[in-house]
Amino acid sequence: MQIHFSKMQGLGNDFMVIDNVTQNVFFSKDKIKQLADRNFGIGFDQLLLVEPPYDPDQDFHYRIFNADGTEVSQCGNGARCFARFVRNKGLINKNKIVVGTRAGRMVLYLERDGQVTVNMGKPQFEPAQIPLKANKEEATYIVREDEHTIFCGAVSLGNPHCVMEVEDIEQAAVETLGPLLVKHERFPEGVNVGFMQILSPSHIKLRVYERGSGETLACGSGACAAAVIGQLWGKLESEVRVDLPGGTLTIRWQGRDRVVKMTGPAEHVFDGSISL
Ligand SMILES: N[C@H](CCC[C@H](N)C(=O)O)C(=O)O
C-alpha cells in the first residue's frame, strides 16, 4: 500500500503531513517513532494526520503525534503547515479554515503575504498557578531534583508549557534542564519547557525543549506560552516578536480572557510516498 505525504516545516519545526481525507492511514506508536527517526526513517518533529471534520461547523480535523509516537492536542507550527497543506492539495480553497483538534476548534487565516495566522484560543491556567497580578514570587516555582528552585510560569494552549526567564539564551541549560523538567512530577502529563530571554517589552528570544520531541528549532505553542507568561509577569506587552532558533513568530494577546494569536510562515519541502 502506497502512502502519500508532504514534508512541511514552520521555522524548522518539521512535519510529515498525511491527507487522511482521501487516504486511510493509521500508524502504531512504534511505526511513528520509526518514521520520525532522522536516520532510519523520514525524520520529523511531529506527524500530522488531516481528517474529514468531526463536526459540521469545521472544515477538517487534524491529529498530532510527537516523534516519540504520543498523540497530543496542540501544535502551533503544525497548524500553520496544516493550513498550507490543505490549500496546496486543493482540499479547500478558502483563506479562513476552521479545524478541530483534541484541544478544540481553531480558526486559521492564510494571509496575503503567505504567512498564516492561528487563533490559538484562550490560555488556560490552573487556578492556583498564576494569580492575576502574577510576579516572579507568585508564579509557579518548580524544585529541581537537585534542590535548586526554578521560577517558571505554567500555562496551557491546549498543551502544557512551563516557561522560565534566562539571562542569556545561548547559555541556557536546555540540554540538562529540559529533560529534567519535561517529566517533572509537577506535570503528570509531561510539559514543554520554554527558556525565554527578554530583550525588550516587545521582543524575546526563546528556545523550547518539547515534550515528546526534545529541543526543536521552533515551537509555536511555546512562543504563545512565553508571550503570555511574560505579560503576566509584567515584562511583556500585548504584541511580542519571538525569535526562535529557526526564525521569528509574532504573538498577540490582549490579556486574561482573550485569545492568543500567532502569525508565522509555513513551507512545503517535498512530497513523498512510502510503501507499507
Ligand atoms: N511537543 C508538543 C506538541 C508540538 C508543539 C510544537 N511543535 C508547536 O509548534 O506548538 C507537545 O507535546 O505538547
Side-chain angles (χ1 to χ4, degrees):
M1 174 185 175
Q2 280 287 93
I3 309 289
H4 300 281
F5 68 89
S6 287
K7 190 76 184 348
M8 311 274 300
Q9 60 87 9
L11 302 180
N13 184 197
D14 64 339
F15 310 98
M16 177 184 188
V17 190
I18 292 177
D19 163 5
N20 250 6
V21 175
T22 63
Q23 300 179 107
N24 184 18
V25 172
F26 189 74
F27 299 128
S28 68
K29 184 169 183 174
D30 285 343
K31 185 64 179 171
I32 294 171
K33 286 166 76 172
Q34 184 253 314
L35 291 170
D37 189 286
R38 296 190 183 283
N39 298 103
F40 297 101
I42 289 163
F44 52 75
D45 291 326
Q46 279 87 26
L47 164 70
L48 310 181
L49 295 185
V50 177
E51 301 181 330
Y54 290 7
D55 296 317
D57 73 337
Q58 295 170 9
D59 298 306
F60 299 95
H61 186 86
Y62 98 106
R63 298 176 69 178
I64 306 150
F65 299 83
N66 281 324
D68 67 356
T70 54
E71 184 167 6
V72 292
S73 306
Q74 178 63 283
C75 180
N77 290 322
R80 301 198 314 277
C81 288
F82 154 81
R84 173 71 56 231
F85 175 81
V86 292
R87 279 299 296 269
N88 288 356
K89 295 297 173 188
L91 293 171
I92 194 168
N93 63 5
K94 297 188 293 186
N95 288 330
K96 174 184 173 185
I97 300 172
V98 180
V99 64
T101 72
R102 277 197 341 184
R105 180 179 183 275
M106 290 206 297
V107 182
L108 319 177
Y109 300 87
L110 288 127
E111 308 287 1
R112 260 195 278 275
D113 65 1
Q115 297 208 101
V116 183
T117 294
V118 181
N119 175 340
M120 296 286 285
K122 296 177 184 177
Q124 305 294 319
F125 307 94
E126 286 171 30
Q129 276 182 359
I130 304 280
L132 193 54
K133 293 187 174 40
N135 61 44
K136 209 121 195 197
E137 286 56 49
E138 291 170 327
T140 305
Y141 63 87
I142 294 174
V143 179
R144 206 169 71 193
E145 278 76 353
D146 58 13
E147 290 314 302
H148 283 229
T149 299
I150 304 156
F151 284 95
C152 289
V155 61
S156 172
L157 276 297
N159 60 346
H161 290 267
C162 72
V163 180
M164 73 187 79
E165 186 178 356
V166 296
E167 293 306 315
D168 177 354
I169 201 77
E170 307 305 327
Q171 306 303 318
V174 179
E175 293 78 14
T176 51
L177 268 185
L180 275 180
L181 294 178
V182 77
K183 57 183 188 319
H184 194 277
E185 61 187 10
R186 175 74 187 64
F187 300 96
E189 302 295 314
V191 72
N192 299 283
V193 187
F195 301 77
M196 158 173 73
Q197 179 183 350
I198 297 177
L199 303 174
S200 82
S202 60
H203 187 193
I204 65 172
K205 287 186 175 181
L206 180 70
R207 292 170 65 183
V208 181
Y209 190 92
E210 286 196 28
R211 174 181 65 169
S213 298
E215 182 174 7
T216 57
L217 289 177
C219 180
S221 54
C224 297
V228 165
I229 294 298
Q231 195 175 146
L232 280 175
W233 282 349
K235 295 195 158 191
L236 292 179
E237 294 167 349
S238 59
E239 179 169 329
V240 182
R241 168 182 165 165
V242 181
D243 287 345
L244 298 125
T248 297
L249 291 172
T250 301
I251 310 298
R252 296 176 183 85
W253 182 53
Q254 300 300 327
R256 204 70 174 144
D257 288 329
R258 307 290 293 276
V259 299
V260 183
K261 292 196 174 176
M262 166 190 62
T263 299
E267 308 292 338
H268 174 262
V269 183
F270 66 86
D271 283 345
S273 63
I274 50 172
S275 303
L276 285 188

